Amino acid sequence: MRLEKKNIHMNKIVKSETVIFFVSREERIMDADNEIENIINQKEIVTTDGVVTRENQITVNGTINYNILYYPKNSEMVCGEEKEINFEENIKLMGINSEDNANVAMEVLSSSIKPVDGKNYIYKIQLKAYIIVEKIEDLDIATAIDTDSQEENYENNFAKENSGKNNVENIMTKKRNIDSLAIMADKTDTFRVSEQIAVPHGKPPIGTIVWSDIRIKNQNIKTMEGSIIINGQLSVFIIYIPEMENMPEQWLEQTIDFNGQLEMSEATEDVVSYIELWLNNVNVQPEINQDNEMRNLSVSALLKLNVKLYKETSIKVIEDVYKPGANLVPIMEPKTYQKLLVKNASRTKEVVKMKIDKTKGQLLQICNSQAEIKIENILVRDNSLKAIGKIKTCIIYISSDDRHPICCQCRESNFEHGIDAEGIEVNDEYFLNWKVEQVNANMLNADEVEIKAVIALEAIVFKKVEQNFVTEINQEPVDMEALNS
């Protein structure tokens, strides 16, 4: 007896791991006239360029873009160093093969600069790779009996509803509803932002940019019919040396709004979406304005998106069959499918108080403040996902030290936040991402700064459901003795 079946297209997590490794390179100062005396600040952006999946192993290729802000020897003018390091890392992961799809997100845990001599230094970075390996799995579920089956040679077949049961030539089916989640799209895309900033008239024209820090703020992504709508802001902070000689270092902090859309045929307003967005490439260059002055700043950034779109479906599946005067035996087989348990976005405000190092001079003015979140562990506890890690807050400020006025100070403190996920169990699958949306710093007094950061976390949780499903129906001889009794 032939069955009509409905296919559920699923994307199941095969392996979820975090791996820590180090990248180390010996580098040389680009400016031949400089030697590093004092490092003010350093930062890194790590991107994943490619992932190759093999039997029990993945190979990750990536790039580390780093900036160093420092004071050179025999000079009171601040300098900057911007370079990139390419790396390749082989990671052992048992139980995967070349057909699986691996997504790798990278995070810098720590970095250090060790001088070799006045011109050379060793840059060592500790990286954490968040690895999720998925595979496509199709599940066929019997939903009806094929009325056009040539194998059974039924005549005048018809179907009609009778107290919730289908009657196909006196064959009745009992059904139940299941709520499933099917993957509609799993792809990456890019979105380019290109804007200009004008240097205020109260500041001198730009000579050389020695430090730039570009971050995403207040992002908002939603799906529409056939497209994905993107809105957000880029926070732009630079330190520069003016064109005119004997002028002190200057800084500029502005916010750029961006918006746009990406075409995606699978997108609709009612799909369940999980979309990650991060900076991939950033370029900041000074440009001449209409008055022939270097007072424009060109900012371009490539935003990379990891898009997953799901569709919730309610399906009536065959649970049992019956036919008068016949012995129909359904063959059952256990199968696992997934349904959406919860999708939840949560925000929390962190307040950090930082004591200023008086050996660098008295704090006069805060130029810029930033925060980073590093999640070390995710626990399933009390109907929630609990993220545990560290929050690192930093300020760049002007001190009373006339020789080295630009200073930086950071503090790392514990971070913990729970996201509601009613009904979650340890074996359920989930995705979780986090980002810093807003940062503000205020001077409490000459010795202490208060930094407030808004942290956004987004989680999507899938419930694994295992049930018996009808895979075929056998017609066996009727036991007349049992029937008569």
Side-chain angles (χ1 to χ4, degrees):
M1 187 175 295
R2 182 176 296 170
L3 299 174
E4 290 183 2
K5 295 185 178 182
K6 187 176 181 68
N7 178 267
I8 302 176
H9 195 57
M10 297 179 295
N11 204 7
K12 288 194 171 183
I13 297 176
V14 178
K15 186 79 69 173
S16 179
E17 298 280 351
T18 57
V19 177
I20 296 174
F21 60 94
F22 290 88
V23 176
S24 182
R25 295 287 189 278
E26 183 171 338
E27 300 286 343
R28 184 174 178 84
I29 294 293
M30 292 186 294
D31 193 329
D33 297 329
N34 287 341
E35 293 185 14
I36 296 178
E37 178 186 3
N38 177 32
I39 294 176
I40 303 168
N41 198 11
Q42 63 195 67
K43 71 178 183 68
E44 304 83 18
I45 297 177
V46 57
T47 57
T48 303
D49 300 327
V51 180
V52 179
T53 308
R54 298 185 179 89
E55 196 77 23
N56 298 324
Q57 176 181 293
I58 65 169
T59 300
V60 182
N61 292 282
T63 304
I64 302 167
N65 295 93
Y66 71 86
N67 288 40
I68 303 174
L69 186 66
Y70 69 96
Y71 277 110
K73 292 180 180 179
N74 305 319
S75 175
E76 296 182 1
M77 295 300 292
V78 71
C79 293
E81 184 93 353
E82 182 176 354
K83 287 187 177 181
E84 69 175 37
I85 298 173
N86 297 316
F87 68 90
E88 180 177 288
E89 184 73 14
N90 294 316
I91 301 172
K92 293 290 184 181
L93 281 180
M94 303 305 294
I96 68 171
N97 57 58
S98 58
E99 296 180 355
D100 295 333
N101 180 38
N103 293 314
V104 180
M106 307 294 296
E107 179 182 67
V108 177
L109 291 182
S110 64
S111 62
S112 63
I113 300 174
K114 182 180 179 181
V116 176
D117 51 42
K119 297 289 186 182
N120 299 284
Y121 58 92
I122 295 175
Y123 208 124
K124 188 175 183 179
I125 305 105
Q126 184 185 28
L127 297 177
K128 187 174 186 178
Y130 297 90
I131 306 168
I132 295 180
V133 182
E134 299 171 285
K135 71 173 180 179
I136 294 295
E137 186 173 300
D138 289 319
L139 182 63
D140 290 325
I141 298 178
T143 58
I145 296 174
D146 187 357
T147 59
D148 296 326
S149 173
Q150 297 179 0
E151 296 177 358
E152 294 300 320
N153 193 26
Y154 290 123
E155 294 180 359
N156 301 320
N157 287 336
F158 64 94
K160 63 182 178 180
E161 293 293 332
N162 182 17
S163 300
K165 299 178 181 180
N166 292 332
N167 190 330
V168 180
E169 188 64 25
N170 294 327
I171 298 178
M172 287 169 283
T173 59
K174 179 183 177 183
K175 295 186 177 183
R176 69 173 185 270
N177 281 330
I178 66 167
D179 295 322
S180 65
L181 193 70
I183 185 77
M184 305 296 293
D186 184 4
K187 57 181 67 175
T188 59
D189 210 331
T190 56
F191 179 77
R192 183 169 292 279
V193 177
S194 183
E195 299 288 343
Q196 272 199 347
I197 296 174
V199 176
H201 291 293
K203 289 184 176 292
I206 300 172
T208 305
I209 296 175
V210 294
W211 178 264
S212 63
D213 192 353
I214 316 297
R215 298 173 190 252
I216 301 175
K217 292 172 55 180
N218 302 322
Q219 70 184 49
N220 181 29
I221 306 173
K222 61 181 181 180
T223 58
M224 300 292 287
E225 196 68 36
S227 65
I228 295 175
I229 308 299
I230 303 170
N231 294 283
Q233 295 177 322
L234 287 183
S235 173
V236 180
F237 173 72
I238 67 165
I239 298 175
Y240 68 93
I241 307 298
E243 280 185 332
M244 292 80 79
E245 294 184 0
N246 301 320
M247 286 199 69
E249 302 92 339
Q250 303 289 317
W251 69 92
L252 175 66
E253 185 173 28
Q254 288 193 23
T255 299
I256 299 173
D257 294 326
F258 66 85
N259 59 77
Q261 68 179 43
L262 294 173
E263 292 185 2
M264 190 162 292
S265 59
E266 300 91 344
T268 60
E269 290 189 37
D270 60 346
V271 296
V272 179
S273 63
Y274 180 79
I275 303 172
E276 295 175 292
L277 174 68
W278 62 93
L279 283 172
N280 200 31
N281 289 309
V282 179
N283 187 33
V284 181
Q285 294 293 335
E287 291 185 351
I288 296 174
N289 66 3
Q290 59 185 6
D291 298 325
N292 205 32
E293 290 185 317
M294 200 73 76
R295 304 189 66 88
N296 284 343
L297 194 67
S298 174
V299 180
S300 64
L302 187 68
L303 309 183
K304 190 173 181 180
L305 293 92
N306 186 13
V307 181
K308 294 180 185 292
L309 302 179
Y310 302 90
K311 184 77 171 179
E312 288 187 284
T313 308
S314 181
I315 307 172
K316 287 186 176 182
V317 301
I318 295 177
E319 188 175 19
D320 202 357
V321 292
Y322 171 74
K323 180 181 179 182
N327 184 20
L328 300 183
V329 180
I331 308 301
M332 311 293 286
E333 182 179 320
K335 295 183 179 182
T336 301
Y337 66 96
Q338 63 184 18
K339 66 178 183 178
L340 178 67
L341 180 66
V342 67
K343 181 188 176 186
N344 197 3
S346 176
R347 285 172 174 80
T348 180
K349 180 182 287 186
E350 295 291 313
V351 179
V352 178
K353 292 184 178 180
M354 182 187 300
K355 290 287 185 180
I356 298 301
D357 184 1
K358 293 182 180 180
T359 62
K360 299 178 181 179
Q362 188 178 2
L363 186 151
L364 300 179
Q365 183 179 0
I366 298 173
C367 305
N368 178 251
S369 59
Q370 295 296 346
E372 294 179 353
I373 287 292
K374 298 176 182 179
I375 301 300
E376 299 170 349
N377 199 8
I378 301 172
L379 303 177
V380 177
R381 295 276 176 85
D382 303 325
N383 291 317
S384 69
L385 282 171
K386 184 169 289 187
I388 301 171
K390 302 286 185 182
I391 178 171
K392 182 181 178 182
T393 51
C394 295
I395 61 168
I396 294 178
Y397 64 96
I398 302 299
S399 78
S400 58
D401 185 345
D402 292 334
R403 185 169 179 268
H404 291 162
I406 295 181
C407 300
C408 177
Q409 189 161 323
C410 299
R411 183 189 170 188
E412 195 171 74
S413 51
N414 293 327
F415 172 81
E416 184 175 308
H417 184 66
I419 306 173
D420 292 338
E422 186 72 29
I424 190 172
E425 296 177 343
V426 175
N427 293 329
D428 290 337
E429 298 176 351
Y430 61 84
F431 295 111
L432 177 67
N433 71 64
W434 51 89
K435 54 186 173 291
V436 178
E437 286 199 332
Q438 299 177 26
V439 184
N440 292 299
N442 296 300
M443 293 174 57
L444 299 178
N445 50 59
D447 301 325
E448 192 174 26
V449 173
E450 182 181 72
I451 302 172
K452 296 179 180 179
V454 177
I455 315 300
L457 299 97
E458 183 185 13
I460 184 169
V461 184
F462 312 105
K463 171 68 69 175
K464 288 183 178 180
V465 183
E466 183 173 333
Q467 291 185 358
N468 288 323
F469 291 93
V470 175
T471 56
E472 58 180 305
I473 298 173
N474 292 340
Q475 184 165 343
E476 299 181 356
V478 177
D479 186 345
M480 296 306 298
E481 189 174 314
L483 184 64
N484 290 332
S485 67

